[in-house]
Amino acid sequence: MLAAAGSSIGLGNIWKFPYETGLHGGGTFLLVYIPCALLVAFPLMMAEVLIGRYGRGNPIHGIRHIAKQEHLSSLWPVIGWFGLISSFLIFSFYSVVASWILFYIMQSAMGSFVGVPAEIVQHSYGALLRNSDQMMLWHTVFVLMVVVVLTRGVRSGLERALRIIMPCFIALLIWLCVYASQVGDFDQALHFLASYDLAAIDAELVVSAMAQALFSLSVGIGALVMFGAYMRDERSIASAASWVMVFDTVFALLMALMIFSIVFAFGMDADSGAGLIFETLPVAFSQMTEYSVVWSTLFFTLLLAASLTSAFALLEPIIAALTQGMNISRRLAAWLVGACAWAGGMVTVYSFNDLKFSFYYFGEQQSNGVFDVLNIVATHVMMPLGALLIALFAGWRIHHGETKSLLAMRVEVAYRLWRFCTRILAPIVLCAVLVMVLFFPA
Ligand code: PHE
């Protein structure tokens, strides 16, 4: 459970949620995001865990096992392979964003932002992006950290540490919200997140909200299948998934509240995109009069811990598949995957500077080349497609009696609602998203 919460809380909540919300008008985004999360991502989260509990293995072996039991086509395990490719693509940009956190930990620890005017602090992010050597260095450090942990198998220890890290993180986040309400413009942030404009809801907003819900809850690449396989049978899937969902959403909302309080107080742009948290957080800390170095270093370190656990969840299935499929040691598999992931991430590093190019997507200019391409392909195409396949498999192919007994929900109506969302609602929404992205992205 804790591992699932650890993997779901990550850059999706900390980095992507605030900037997507800022780009799409605050409350207007929330208005679409919340139903997408509740009615599509959440039921599919349960579906993935259910597949894990039934198949008792990684996505490829587990789904193969279920397909045999249910006399289904032997093509279904393709979902597992598909998930591995998606994980790799996500990691290629995830690791680069996470490595920016390392840069900010260093800067915070050295006290580089203490007492510096907000406009100057804000520009440190742009300067980092222009410096490919600096980015390469931090990216390499981040990938090394992930690989070393994965080869040593100290992951379980780290997940135990989450028991302490997560409550600390939430406490610090609440404290920062209180702080932001003093130095920042809390009222305007609340107003921004609570007001909406129905006329502003367009195809791009719906696609982004759906993609964000899947990304934040780690749905659509088979990552949750592993958790289902390890979860004890007496533990209810619905209640575990509900906890993860609540945690994930509260985290994202607190983060957004804090960020926007700072944004409005210092006259920054809410819609500045992927750099939003890296431009605002250092500003917030630079305004602190006491212990700024301690708080900022601590906070960025907690952000790093949260993104590390998600990074493990992204690479672990690939390493497991390689170890089993090619009969090589875990160590070798981890280094091989790490080397490829490093190379993939390097392309992203250069997409902010030397290899920068721009293109149009839903009428908006995207100027970070490969980074934007990866972000769109992985989260707007691969994850919805994976989620669709999971919905079809769990909703239509696994026998009704089996899903009912695996989910063991006490309230019949709740089970029916899950079934309706998985069989009908989710496939319709996900197909609509895919049609918009693939055929009308101009
Ligand atoms: N949910 C993670 C986050 O919010 C990202 C992730 C996606 C992790 C898919 C694992 C699998 O950062």
Side-chain angles (χ1 to χ4, degrees):
M1 246 280 302
L2 212 64
S7 100
S8 84
I9 295 175
L11 292 176
N13 317 62
I14 301 161
W15 159 74
K16 213 169 190 326
F17 184 81
Y19 93 69
E20 290 281 7
T21 310
L23 274 179
H24 298 101
T28 316
F29 184 75
L30 287 184
L31 199 66
V32 183
Y33 173 81
I34 290 175
C36 284
L38 262 183
L39 301 174
V40 179
F42 176 60
L44 295 188
M45 205 174 157
M46 288 169 60
E48 271 200 36
V49 179
L50 173 156
I51 292 174
R53 180 170 278 184
Y54 190 3
R56 288 275 168 235
N58 66 47
I60 299 169
H61 290 104
I63 294 176
R64 190 176 295 145
H65 172 77
I66 300 175
K68 263 204 204 115
Q69 291 271 322
E70 303 265 334
H71 309 292
L72 304 174
S73 153
S74 56
L75 281 178
W76 283 107
V78 166
I79 300 180
W81 288 106
F82 190 77
L84 296 186
I85 301 171
S86 307
S87 303
F88 183 80
L89 291 181
I90 296 175
F91 190 87
S92 305
F93 68 87
Y94 204 91
S95 59
V96 175
V97 179
S99 72
W100 297 340
I101 299 177
L102 282 171
F103 168 79
Y104 281 99
I105 292 179
M106 273 307 282
Q107 297 296 322
S108 302
M110 292 187 321
S112 311
F113 300 133
V114 185
V116 177
E119 316 78 73
I120 298 180
V121 174
Q122 200 186 338
H123 289 135
S124 63
Y125 171 71
L128 170 66
L129 293 194
R130 282 189 296 276
N131 190 338
S132 52
D133 293 342
Q134 174 91 264
M135 274 190 18
M136 189 174 104
L137 169 75
W138 294 117
H139 173 246
T140 309
V141 173
F142 183 79
V143 175
L144 274 177
M145 286 170 83
V146 174
V147 173
V148 166
V149 170
L150 287 177
T151 51
R152 300 235 170 133
V154 287
R155 209 188 131 189
S156 60
L158 209 114
E159 260 138 26
R160 250 175 280 135
L162 273 182
R163 245 175 248 254
I164 305 164
I165 293 176
M166 280 300 164
C168 287
F169 203 170
I170 296 209
L172 194 59
L173 199 53
I174 293 175
W175 181 81
L176 277 176
C177 278
V178 174
Y179 166 75
S181 69
Q182 285 155 7
V183 296
D185 196 338
F186 199 68
D187 289 347
Q188 204 181 336
L190 263 183
H191 178 75
F192 180 64
L193 292 175
S195 54
Y196 55 85
D197 171 13
L198 290 181
I201 298 178
D202 57 9
E204 198 260 337
L205 189 144
V206 175
V207 169
S208 301
M210 190 62 253
Q212 172 61 22
L214 296 177
F215 185 78
S216 189
L217 292 170
S218 314
V219 174
I221 64 170
L224 295 164
V225 172
M226 296 298 287
F227 297 114
Y230 292 130
M231 208 161 110
R232 271 183 286 126
D233 278 344
E234 61 275 17
R235 182 100 197 133
S236 145
I237 294 180
S239 89
S242 313
W243 275 111
V244 173
M245 160 98 195
V246 169
F247 257 122
D248 194 85
T249 312
V250 169
F251 231 90
L253 286 174
L254 285 177
M255 196 70 197
L257 254 181
M258 180 185 53
I259 297 288
F260 291 118
S261 302
I262 305 296
V263 164
F264 294 125
F266 291 92
M268 300 170 162
D269 295 326
D271 58 356
S272 73
L276 187 68
I277 72 155
F278 298 102
E279 285 160 347
T280 44
L281 280 175
V283 169
F285 290 117
S286 72
Q287 304 302 310
M288 281 184 181
T289 43
E290 275 175 61
Y291 305 116
S292 159
V293 171
V294 177
W295 290 123
S296 58
T297 313
L298 185 65
F299 191 68
F300 279 114
T301 307
L302 290 174
L303 291 188
L304 178 71
S307 32
L308 270 173
T309 51
S310 295
F312 298 147
L314 285 168
L315 285 198
E316 170 77 33
I318 310 180
I319 294 174
L322 216 63
T323 316
Q324 286 174 359
M326 287 176 46
N327 226 344
I328 54 175
S329 74
R330 189 187 163 80
R331 223 184 156 72
L332 181 62
W335 282 109
L336 268 177
V337 173
C340 296
W342 178 84
M346 284 313 291
V347 182
T348 310
V349 164
Y350 286 107
S351 61
F352 291 97
N353 34 68
D354 305 0
L355 301 178
K356 202 174 163 97
F357 64 85
S358 44
F359 61 93
Y360 280 88
Y361 179 65
F362 282 112
E364 293 286 332
Q365 190 178 19
Q366 313 285 323
S367 48
N368 294 324
V370 177
F371 172 78
D372 288 328
V373 173
L374 280 174
N375 199 344
I376 291 169
V377 170
T379 64
H380 289 191
V381 182
M382 306 280 283
M383 288 188 100
L385 193 54
L388 175 65
L389 292 175
I390 285 162
L392 296 178
F393 185 65
W396 292 91
R397 304 312 290 155
I398 301 183
H399 192 264
H400 163 60
E402 200 66 54
T403 50
K404 192 165 182 175
S405 82
L406 285 164
L407 287 177
M409 288 160 99
R410 267 182 248 125
V411 190
E412 173 71 18
V413 180
Y415 173 70
R416 287 196 182 192
L417 190 62
W418 171 81
R419 204 164 143 80
F420 169 75
C421 292
T422 310
R423 281 163 70 94
I424 316 279
L425 191 68
I428 292 177
V429 175
L430 294 168
C431 279
V433 163
L434 287 166
V435 167
M436 288 188 274
V437 173
L438 297 173
F439 301 108
F440 305 103

